[in-house]
Amino acid sequence: MEPIAFSYSDIHKTVAELAERIQASGFAPEAIVAIGSGGYIPARIMKTYLLVPIYTVGISLYLEDKTTLPSPRKIQWLDEVEKKLTGKRILLIDEVDDSRTTLEYCIRELLRHQPAKLGVAVLHNKQKEKKGVIPGEVAAYWAGRELPNAWIKYPWDAVEIDVHELNARNQEQPTAL
Ligand code: G4P
Ligand code: MG
């Protein structure tokens, strides 16, 4: 399947729509936790709409040479800050729900700090068989777009941003699932 490219503008609009759905649900997060690095930019855009602070965690499932680790590894975690999450309504943000391995790992780690409520928002959910699960303690899950199981090209990975943005605009729009 052909890769699907999204422009910065596409992503901003997807986050705006997600923010609307989150607000309409009555969830009212008090803080955002961004899963780095893919979740950083979506989380920052979300802050424009939800006006709450962002905390970040760095997790990787792959090494530099692209070999997969047996389980996700913390590159950076919340330490002192995590105490501030206890008793709060938290919105966890990542760019893509792919295998769900990283997502499940982060959710379980955050749940240990007993947030009042934990919601999860991703820009894109790939419709495929998942290795991880969204634990039942998660109050709500939102995906900005449902996509087929193709490789997604994000603007922040582009070395030539003008070429990326042009490709994103000129490609056939991915069919909504
Ligand atoms: P999940 O729990 O959110 O489903 O993530 P999973 O562990 O399956 O994904 C492992 C890594 O692969 C993540 O990056 C994720 O961002 C990346 N990934 C998965 N599918 C795509 C895709 O279609 N396009 C792009 N560009 N990346 C994808 P990571 O190892 O956590 O690092 P980072 O890239 O976020 O820094
Ligand atoms: Mg990621």
Side-chain angles (χ1 to χ4, degrees):
M1 195 176 284
E2 286 285 298
I4 308 168
F6 289 99
S7 69
Y8 277 116
S9 159
D10 287 327
I11 283 161
H12 206 109
K13 286 173 198 157
T14 299
V15 175
E17 284 165 19
L18 267 172
E20 239 180 78
R21 286 163 57 199
I22 292 166
Q23 282 168 326
S25 78
F27 179 65
E30 294 165 281
I32 291 168
V33 173
I35 304 178
S37 62
Y40 293 160
I41 296 172
R44 176 58 188 86
I45 301 171
M46 187 65 85
K47 178 175 180 270
T48 298
Y49 297 97
L50 300 185
L51 304 169
V52 295
I54 305 176
Y55 302 107
T56 65
V57 296
I59 304 285
S60 195
L61 190 60
Y62 300 111
L63 295 174
E64 298 283 290
D65 63 1
K66 305 260 190 272
T67 48
T68 308
L69 292 161
S71 77
R73 176 180 294 175
K74 286 177 182 164
I75 294 173
Q76 176 214 325
W77 194 251
L78 295 160
D79 300 326
E80 281 306 298
V81 174
E82 66 192 8
K83 297 192 193 100
K84 295 187 188 164
L85 303 182
T86 305
K88 294 255 170 68
R89 293 182 301 275
I90 304 299
L91 180 66
L92 182 65
I93 297 189
D94 207 351
E95 89 282 36
V96 59
D97 177 345
D98 180 33
S99 70
R100 263 187 202 161
T101 312
T102 305
L103 214 48
E104 178 180 358
Y105 174 82
C106 279
I107 291 167
R108 294 204 186 280
E109 287 293 310
L110 288 179
L111 285 170
R112 288 178 23 194
H113 301 285
Q114 297 172 319
K117 259 189 176 185
L118 181 62
V120 177
V122 295
L123 282 177
H124 302 131
N125 177 38
K126 291 195 206 176
Q127 297 215 335
K128 62 189 283 186
E129 213 173 296
K130 306 288 183 178
K131 289 195 191 131
V133 294
I134 306 288
E137 294 94 325
V138 170
Y141 169 93
W142 296 273
R145 281 187 184 227
E146 295 292 333
L147 295 178
N149 188 17
W151 185 253
I152 306 164
K153 291 168 128 181
Y154 290 103
W156 47 81
D157 285 325
V159 175
E160 294 288 349
I161 188 60
D162 289 342
V163 175
H164 174 91
E165 296 284 291
L166 206 65
N167 287 341
R169 269 201 298 280
N170 292 341
Q171 90 193 337
E172 257 180 73
Q173 283 309 298
T175 33
L177 289 174

